[in-house]
Amino acid sequence: EAQVTQNPRYLITVTGKKLTVTCSQNMNHEYMSWYRQDPGLGLRQIYYSMNVEVTDKGDVPEGYKVSRKEKRNFPLILESPSPNQTSLYFCASSLNRASGNTIYFGEGSWLTVV
Amino acid sequence: GDSVTQMEGPVTLSEEAFLTINCTYTATGYPSLFWYVQYPGEGLQLLLKATKADDKGSNKGFEATYRKETTSFHLEKGSVQVSDSAVYFCALTTLRGDSSYKLIFGSGTRLLVRP
């Protein structure tokens, strides 16, 4: 079954404590990205990756890091989380960077920073 | 810049009512247009899409037509069910400087269908 899997699904952490949200896809997709969803703002892109070792900033990259060492994995790293990073996070993937491709989303990770 | 505007919710309907969720967009070039649905506690799923003007996307009884003249992509369903209760996102892809495509979302419209 085609899947985008992200972990953890729910996390409460404290300000400044580094955390990583993992994302893995089993579809051999080239393109992966991270979004955050906030009330009234829809989904905003944090970072994206067009292939292994190729990453770039989205609309709201501040406070986040990513890496793409393997095609299937695209972890999101919060080096020093702050309360304004409390949000619902989605990992997504698609076959490649072309327009019209279906984008597959993970189930989301609820992150609360206190 | 490119953007998507959709009607604010929540939209509350009785079962079997007709549904319209409005979506308009601003974009340069020729974007592809999408509707995604988010059921409670789940991630987003593609509901339908249209990749060029006058195309009609359809799935599960939902339809939307890509109208370039009115820059719209309104979502419609003739008879909603309780199981259609969800948040619906209109989205478009727009070309980025590195020749990749970026997905831009509207703010989402919550639909609540009552028995």
Side-chain angles (χ1 to χ4, degrees):
Chain A
E1 182 189 353
Q3 271 189 329
V4 179
T5 304
Q6 46 183 116
N7 283 293
R9 296 287 316 280
Y10 303 93
L11 179 64
I12 300 174
T13 190
V14 296
T15 298
K17 185 177 181 181
K18 179 179 178 179
L19 70 92
T20 299
V21 186
T22 64
C23 174
S24 179
Q25 50 90 7
N26 64 357
M27 296 168 278
N28 201 38
H29 282 171
E30 290 183 355
Y31 188 89
M32 297 185 74
S33 59
W34 277 101
Y35 293 84
R36 59 179 288 173
Q37 182 180 7
D38 301 291
L41 296 176
L43 280 82
R44 295 176 293 168
Q45 193 179 54
I46 303 170
Y47 267 95
Y48 66 97
S49 169
M50 290 193 285
N51 215 323
V52 176
E53 302 291 2
V54 181
T55 63
D56 209 344
K57 297 177 180 178
D59 295 317
V60 288
E62 294 77 21
Y64 304 94
K65 284 175 57 177
V66 293
S67 68
R68 188 93 181 271
K69 294 185 172 62
E70 305 165 282
K71 199 171 188 179
R72 63 183 292 126
N73 296 323
F74 190 46
L76 179 70
I77 303 158
L78 285 73
E79 293 272 1
S80 182
S82 62
N84 65 11
Q85 293 178 295
T86 293
S87 188
L88 175 59
Y89 291 86
F90 288 101
C91 181
S93 75
S94 64
L95 181 62
N96 53 45
R97 62 187 184 182
S99 175
N101 280 332
T102 297
I103 295 183
Y104 296 84
F105 287 85
E107 292 185 317
S109 295
W110 284 98
L111 171 63
T112 300
V113 184
V114 298
Chain B
D2 298 339
S3 65
V4 175
T5 302
Q6 57 183 111
M7 60 191 290
E8 289 199 21
V11 173
T12 304
L13 296 172
S14 298
E15 206 164 24
E16 299 184 2
F18 185 86
L19 168 71
T20 300
I21 300 178
N22 290 336
C23 171
T24 56
Y25 67 90
T26 302
T28 53
Y30 301 96
S32 294
L33 301 173
F34 305 80
W35 277 100
Y36 280 83
V37 58
Q38 184 179 25
Y39 297 104
E42 298 184 13
L44 281 78
Q45 304 171 23
L46 179 67
L47 181 60
L48 54 85
K49 69 179 182 182
T51 57
K52 60 183 188 296
D54 299 325
D55 268 3
K56 178 187 283 188
S58 61
N59 186 25
K60 299 182 182 179
F62 291 89
E63 293 183 340
T65 300
Y66 189 149
R67 301 280 188 207
K68 191 166 169 57
E69 64 276 12
T70 55
T71 62
S72 64
F73 193 55
H74 304 321
L75 182 68
E76 296 182 336
K77 186 175 186 183
S79 175
V80 294
Q81 306 300 312
V82 172
S83 56
D84 293 327
S85 297
V87 180
Y88 293 81
F89 291 91
C90 185
L92 65 81
T93 49
T94 185
L95 186 61
R96 220 192 309 248
D98 58 9
S99 300
S100 69
Y101 282 85
K102 171 183 168 181
L103 194 64
I104 295 178
F105 287 90
S107 56
T109 302
R110 182 176 300 278
L111 170 65
L112 177 61
V113 181
R114 295 194 166 134

